[in-house]
Amino acid sequence: PPPEKAMELLRQLAEDSGVRAVMQKHKYKVNLLSEMHPEGKVGVSEVCVLGYNVNQGQEISLRLRTDDLRGFRRLRDIKLTLMHELAHNEYREHDENFKTLNSLLVRELEGLDWRAGHARTLGGTSRSRPGSGEGWLYQPGDEDANLSKDGRTVGGDAPTTGASAAASAAAAAMRRAAQEQDGDAMNE
């Protein structure tokens, strides 16, 4: 993927509600979030660096790309690496204190992010986002209709089966624009 896509992914990480909630809760600051070039093969090489933290958050660099450089690692895996690197803001060594904090940060990441993948409908039914166990990176055009096939939007109608969230949002915006235009025409 081109560098612009890597920048988009870094921006997505920086704006992620779970990441932001963890950073605010622990008062962490990261001056620069950057991409590092892959070194070693994940799960194969004796040494395989997935990220590093310079001066307790002055810079955190993350391995975004797959071993073959043809794509990006799963978003959830990159977030877990980010939590690991944030734990280095407090502990340099991988001792028990570090491991305890890293585990806490991961639990908080998943618990503080309302979009982390698990939710309950008003009727109590449990729902999961597609691929939430593996990290889910939204791409325009992804089909979201299956997230709430039998649910209802508060104050709205049943979702249109097969319509993507983006298409539904665009249609709603067009309806509002038409209503506003009709209202302006009546006021003239």
Side-chain angles (χ1 to χ4, degrees):
E4 309 84 61
K5 292 290 185 185
M7 284 299 296
E8 186 178 314
L9 182 54
L10 288 169
R11 204 171 299 111
Q12 181 180 3
L13 286 166
E15 294 171 357
D16 182 87
S17 61
V19 171
R20 292 176 67 90
V22 167
M23 291 184 66
Q24 287 173 351
K25 180 175 181 182
H26 293 274
K27 297 180 173 72
Y28 291 149
K29 280 188 129 179
V30 175
N31 293 328
L32 177 63
L33 185 62
S34 63
E35 177 185 17
M36 64 173 282
H37 187 76
E39 297 175 24
K41 293 192 181 279
V42 177
V44 176
S45 300
E46 193 171 311
V47 176
C48 179
V49 179
L50 298 177
Y52 60 85
N53 182 330
V54 177
N55 293 331
Q56 298 171 302
Q58 181 179 356
E59 177 181 0
I60 290 182
S61 190
L62 302 171
R63 179 177 181 160
L64 302 178
R65 297 173 192 271
T66 56
D67 291 340
D68 63 8
L69 303 176
R70 292 186 179 164
F72 292 116
R73 296 175 57 235
R74 293 183 305 184
L75 182 61
R76 184 173 190 280
D77 292 341
I78 297 169
K79 285 182 186 182
L80 295 178
T81 302
L82 178 55
M83 293 301 107
H84 177 102
E85 297 309 326
L86 286 172
H88 280 303
N89 279 7
E90 293 188 43
Y91 301 105
R92 291 178 186 243
E93 301 301 319
H94 294 120
D95 60 12
E96 284 307 311
N97 290 326
F98 173 88
K99 291 175 184 175
T100 299
L101 177 61
N102 186 49
S103 294
L104 173 67
L105 296 179
V106 169
R107 283 193 310 274
E108 290 176 350
L109 171 71
E110 293 171 349
L112 293 171
D113 183 359
W114 60 271
R115 302 172 305 166
H118 300 289
R120 294 211 168 270
T121 64
L122 291 174
T125 309
S126 181
R127 299 275 186 222
S128 293
R129 292 191 65 96
S132 61
E134 296 143 8
W136 186 62
L137 178 60
Y138 172 77
Q139 296 294 326
D142 282 351
E143 297 300 321
D144 281 356
N146 64 336
L147 294 179
S148 58
K149 280 182 185 166
D150 56 357
R152 297 280 189 270
T153 303
V154 175
D157 297 326
T160 306
T161 304
S164 73
S168 297
M174 295 294 285
R175 283 192 303 273
R176 285 191 302 273
Q179 287 172 349
E180 287 175 14
Q181 205 169 34
D182 289 344
D184 289 344
M186 294 181 84
N187 292 332
E188 291 178 355

